[in-house]
Structures are given as structure tokens and as C-alpha cells.
Amino acid sequence: MSDDKTFLDLAIEQARIGLAEGGIPIGAALVVDGEVLAVGRNRRVQLGSAIRHGETDCLENAGRLPASVYARATMYTTLSPCPMCTGAILLYGIPRVVMGENATFVGGEDTLRAGGVELVNLDSAECRDLMAGFIADRPSLWNEDIGVEE
């Protein structure tokens, strides 16, 4: 879909904002019928939160929505969704996920596919470079974010 790159660019913008704030550069956008309902970014560092990943922050920013809205939604995210974000996508019945890349991290993709979610990987060099640079510069923060002990 030609709009996928446009909507992924919103998620990339959020990732860059998060990085500038001292956080982890992962961004997301929730889109329904071509309308952006919300954007979000990983704000675990900024908010001292255990759960504010890009996708969960985006869902929080969208507020409460009826199941019929989620059933038409696409979640755009700069990175393959982690198990926590995968669970949120499945819980709300979001049928489509467009990710920027999965070369630096592979999350719950098999679980999403098993749940009937359509996955699209745009294999964005911009997303890959952003995450690879962050992981190289701040490996301990990255490991904390994904629940890995150093």
C-alpha cells in the first residue's frame, strides 16, 4: 500500500523525538481508514515506566476505542513488536501491523501471524540505522528495554 511509507514516517518521527528526549528510538502510529488516530513513542525512560513501549504508548494516546475501530486498524511501528506489544495488538484485535524493520530485533512475529495478523516489513534502512546506532551507543538501556540481563 502506497500510504504505508507515509504512515511509517509518522512512527519514525516519533522515534526521533524519543531519542532526542533521551529515550529509546521506537515509534508507532495507529491508523484506521486512512486517518491517524494516535502516535506514540517508547517513553519508558522519560516516564520511568515499565510498559510504555512505542505501540503501548500509541494505544494509550488513542484512548478507549470500540472493538469495531481496532478491527479496521493498522499499527505502524519502527521495529518488530516485542512480546508485550504483540499481546496488546492481539488483545485489541488489530488485524495489520506494518513494521519498519526486524533486522535489529525480531519480536512476536510468529505469534502475530498465528493470531491472524497480517505483517508487512518495509525493511527501512532509516529504521535499521536508527536502532543499530542506538543499540551500539546504549546497549545496557536496550537490554533493559527488552528484558535481557547483561
Side-chain angles (χ1 to χ4, degrees), residues 1 14 28 36 39 49 60 69 79 83-84 90 101 104 106 129:
M1 182 182 276
Q14 287 296 304
V36 178
V39 295
S49 170
E60 180 68 16
V69 173
L79 187 64
M84 178 176 65
L90 291 172
E101 62 102 356
T104 58
V106 177
D129 292 347

Side-chain angles (χ1 to χ4, degrees), residues 38-119:
V39 295
R41 59 188 172 276
N42 186 307
R43 295 194 304 159
R44 288 184 67 250
V45 172
Q46 299 92 311
L47 297 176
S49 170
I51 62 167
R52 290 302 271 271
H53 281 193
E55 298 91 334
T56 56
D57 188 60
C58 183
L59 288 168
E60 180 68 16
N61 291 338
R64 294 173 56 197
L65 299 170
S68 61
V69 173
Y70 291 120
R72 300 189 324 273
T74 297
M75 177 66 77
Y76 291 84
T77 179
T78 57
L79 187 64
S80 178
C82 77
M84 178 176 65
C85 295
T86 292
I89 290 163
L90 291 172
L91 175 67
Y92 290 110
I94 297 170
R96 186 167 185 264
V97 173
V98 176
M99 63 184 135
E101 62 102 356
N102 68 354
T104 58
F105 175 79
V106 177
E109 294 177 28
D110 290 341
T111 303
L112 287 168
R113 282 188 199 93
V117 175
E118 175 190 356
L119 287 180

Side-chain angles (χ1 to χ4, degrees), residues 121-144:
N121 183 357
L122 295 184
D123 196 25
S124 163
E126 185 175 6
C127 290
R128 248 187 344 271
D129 292 347
L130 193 59
M131 277 311 300
F134 175 79
I135 292 168
D137 291 344
R138 312 252 342 246
S140 63
L141 184 55
W142 171 243
N143 286 334
E144 175 192 323

